[in-house]
């Protein structure tokens, strides 16, 4: 799941998504919602059963793909050391 950052604050709404591609510097999320490019997000990693894995990833949406705009191409900006 992920949250949209609003300035320095984390938005209240959690969005569902699956990390479908991953690299050292970024990844791709298949998302339930489309976001505009340059949006900042906080990603909370959870297992398929909903168990929290701990630690958060922060990223910027670089590109939006797909006909429905729900494939978000991300560049990681910070990684929680947990």
């Amino acid at each position: 799941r992920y949250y949209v950052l609003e300035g320095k604050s984390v938005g209240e709404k959690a969005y569902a998504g699956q990390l479908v591609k991953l690299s050292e510097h970024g990844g791709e999320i298949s998302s339930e919602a489309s976001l505009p490019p340059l949006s900042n997000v906080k990603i909370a990693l959870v297992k398929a059963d909903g168990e929290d894995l701990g630690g958060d990833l922060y990223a910027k949406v670089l590109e939006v793909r797909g006909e429905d705009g729900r494939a978000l191409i991300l560049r990681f900006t910070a990684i929680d050391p947990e």
Side-chain angles (χ1 to χ4, degrees):
R1 72 180 157 246
Y2 67 92
Y3 304 84
V4 178
L5 298 177
E6 300 163 359
K8 300 242 182 225
S9 300
V10 177
E12 293 182 20
K13 181 167 174 50
Y15 296 91
Q18 281 190 312
L19 196 56
V20 294
K21 292 184 181 176
L22 181 64
S23 76
E24 182 179 347
H25 301 289
E28 179 179 334
I29 289 182
S30 175
S31 173
E32 74 174 40
S34 181
L35 292 178
L38 304 181
S39 296
N40 292 303
V41 296
K42 174 185 169 184
I43 303 166
L45 299 175
V46 295
K47 292 182 181 179
D49 65 5
E51 180 185 347
D52 191 351
L53 292 174
D56 295 313
L57 302 174
Y58 293 85
K60 182 175 289 288
V61 177
L62 297 181
E63 187 179 343
V64 178
R65 294 184 182 165
E67 290 180 24
D68 58 2
R70 294 185 179 180
L72 308 177
I73 308 305
L74 307 174
R75 176 76 150 177
F76 298 135
T77 56
I79 300 173
D80 190 339
E82 283 185 34

